[in-house]
Amino acid sequence: MTLIDTLGLRRPRSLSVKKPSLMARLALWRSRRTLAHLDARALKDVGISPDAARREAQLGLWDVPPSWTQR
């Protein structure tokens, strides 16, 4: 389970069930990069540990949340 799943984010309806689009993957990558740059106070506000944020930020474009590829 990824941090994105933990936060309750779901696959956008416009995405294919089996293969997320490149645009969706890039949006996910941008979100992860933003998460990586949050300070400890901001991470605490959203309930994420710095270690969890670091792990999520290190995931690649191909590492999409399981909810994006399952029905």
Side-chain angles (χ1 to χ4, degrees), residues 15 18-32 60-64 68-69:
L15 292 178
K18 293 294 178 186
K19 188 175 181 184
S21 70
L22 179 59
M23 294 304 290
R25 289 173 187 262
L26 289 173
L28 180 62
W29 178 80
R30 282 191 301 270
S31 295
R32 287 174 173 161
L61 286 175
W62 55 90
D63 289 320
V64 298
W68 285 24
T69 57

Side-chain angles (χ1 to χ4, degrees), residues 28-43:
L28 180 62
W29 178 80
R30 282 191 301 270
S31 295
R32 287 174 173 161
R33 296 306 307 148
T34 300
L35 184 65
H37 290 97
L38 293 178
D39 62 12
R41 182 173 161 246
L43 290 171

Side-chain angles (χ1 to χ4, degrees), residues 1-7 32 56 59 63-66:
M1 177 178 274
T2 67
L3 180 61
I4 299 297
D5 288 326
T6 304
L7 293 175
R32 287 174 173 161
E56 185 70 25
L59 295 176
D63 289 320
V64 298

